[in-house]
Amino acid sequence: NAGVTQTPKFRVLKTGQSMTLLCAQDMNHEYMYWYRQDPGMGLRLIHYSVGEGTTAKGEVPDGYNVSRLKKQNFLLGLESAAPSQTSVYFCASSPGTGREAFFGQGTRLTVV
Amino acid sequence: AQSVAQPEDQVNVAEGNPLTVKCTYSVSGNPYLFWYVQYPNRGLQFLLKYITGDNLVKGSYGFEAEFNKSQTSFHLKKPSALVSDSALYFCAVRAPGTASKLTFGTGTRLQVTL
C-alpha cells in the first residue's frame, strides 16, 4: 500500500501563477484534509472533505479551492499564488472520526 | 470552536529521564484526542489516541498519555527518554460527529540530550 501520496513534493511558483496539488489515498478512507504548516503555527486546516463530492472550509481557506470528485483524490488549488502561501502543505486521510489520520510526505511550496 | 494548546515550544530532557509534553483542549462534547510525531522533512506519524474508556492510553515507542476531563488535558509521557525521541510532537482534537474537523496544536519540540 502506498498510503497517502502527494504530488508534487517541491514547487516554486511566481506570484500570480496557479497550480494544483494532488493528494491520492489507496485506503478507501472517507475523510480527507489539507493542512499547511508554518513555523510556530503548527498545522492549520485549509479545507477538508467528509466524503466523495463534499468539501468544507477549515481555519484558513482564503486563496485556496478544493475538489473531491473521486473518493481517493483530494485536490488543492491555488488560483493566484501569493508569497503568503509559501508553506509546507500536508494532506491526510482518515476512515472515520474516531480513527487516526494518515499523512502524506508533504509538498514544499515557495511563491516568489 | 475547538482548539488545542501546547504551552511549551520546546521541552529539554536528559536521556533516561521521564518526559512530559503538555496539551490542553477545548471542544464541545466528548473529545477524540490524538498525539502525532514529526521527524525532520517527514509527514506526521500517529502515536496514540483517546476515544473512550481507560484514561491512560499506551501507544507506539513506549509513549503514553493521560486523559483528564476535569482539567481538559491530554499530556504525553514517557518513563525514560531516548535521544531518538527528539522530534516535533503535535496534539490534536476532534469532536464527535461525522462532519468534525481535526484540529492541531502548534507543536512542541522535544530535545533529548545525552
Side-chain angles (χ1 to χ4, degrees):
Chain A
N1 276 348
V4 179
T5 303
Q6 291 182 231
T7 309
K9 291 184 170 48
F10 302 93
R11 186 72 185 268
V12 178
L13 283 181
K14 293 182 179 179
T15 298
Q17 286 185 319
S18 64
M19 79 164 294
T20 300
L21 280 67
L22 170 64
C23 178
Q25 53 96 1
D26 60 2
M27 297 172 283
N28 201 35
H29 287 173
E30 290 292 335
Y31 293 69
M32 295 188 76
Y33 307 84
W34 276 108
Y35 293 89
R36 59 178 290 174
Q37 183 177 22
D38 302 291
M41 305 192 76
L43 275 77
R44 293 182 292 169
L45 183 63
I46 305 171
H47 287 280
Y48 65 107
S49 169
V50 299
E52 181 179 315
T54 74
T55 63
K57 293 181 180 180
E59 305 167 63
V60 289
D62 294 343
Y64 305 95
N65 57 74
V66 288
S67 65
R68 183 118 181 253
L69 299 179
K70 294 183 178 181
K71 188 176 184 178
Q72 64 267 34
N73 295 336
F74 195 29
L75 278 63
L76 178 70
L78 286 73
E79 291 185 348
S80 179
S84 61
Q85 293 178 305
T86 294
S87 187
V88 180
Y89 291 85
F90 285 101
C91 176
S93 71
S94 170
T97 56
R99 301 288 302 278
E100 61 269 28
F102 294 79
F103 281 78
Q105 293 299 295
T107 296
R108 186 173 296 275
L109 175 66
T110 302
V111 183
V112 298
Chain B
Q2 62 193 50
S3 64
V4 175
Q6 293 182 242
E8 303 155 315
D9 290 336
Q10 181 156 328
V11 170
N12 298 307
V13 64
E15 188 175 56
N17 284 357
L19 69 88
T20 298
V21 182
K22 296 179 180 178
C23 170
T24 59
Y25 66 89
S26 173
V27 71
S28 297
N30 294 320
Y32 296 157
L33 295 157
F34 304 84
W35 275 102
Y36 290 83
V37 60
Q38 185 182 32
Y39 297 100
N41 301 313
R42 302 295 299 274
L44 276 70
Q45 299 176 29
F46 169 75
L47 276 179
L48 52 79
K49 66 181 177 183
Y50 171 83
I51 304 301
T52 187
D54 194 346
N55 289 344
L56 183 65
V57 293
K58 295 186 183 297
S60 306
Y61 312 120
F63 284 94
E64 57 189 30
E66 185 166 13
F67 170 63
N68 187 316
K69 188 172 183 177
S70 63
Q71 296 185 4
T72 61
S73 67
F74 190 55
H75 300 331
L76 181 69
K77 299 180 180 183
K78 188 174 183 182
S80 179
L82 297 172
V83 171
S84 58
D85 292 330
S86 299
L88 190 56
Y89 290 81
F90 289 97
C91 181
V93 68
R94 174 188 269 145
T98 56
S100 61
K101 298 179 285 189
L102 180 60
T103 300
F104 284 82
T106 52
T108 298
R109 186 164 302 281
L110 174 66
Q111 187 70 44
V112 182
T113 54
L114 289 171

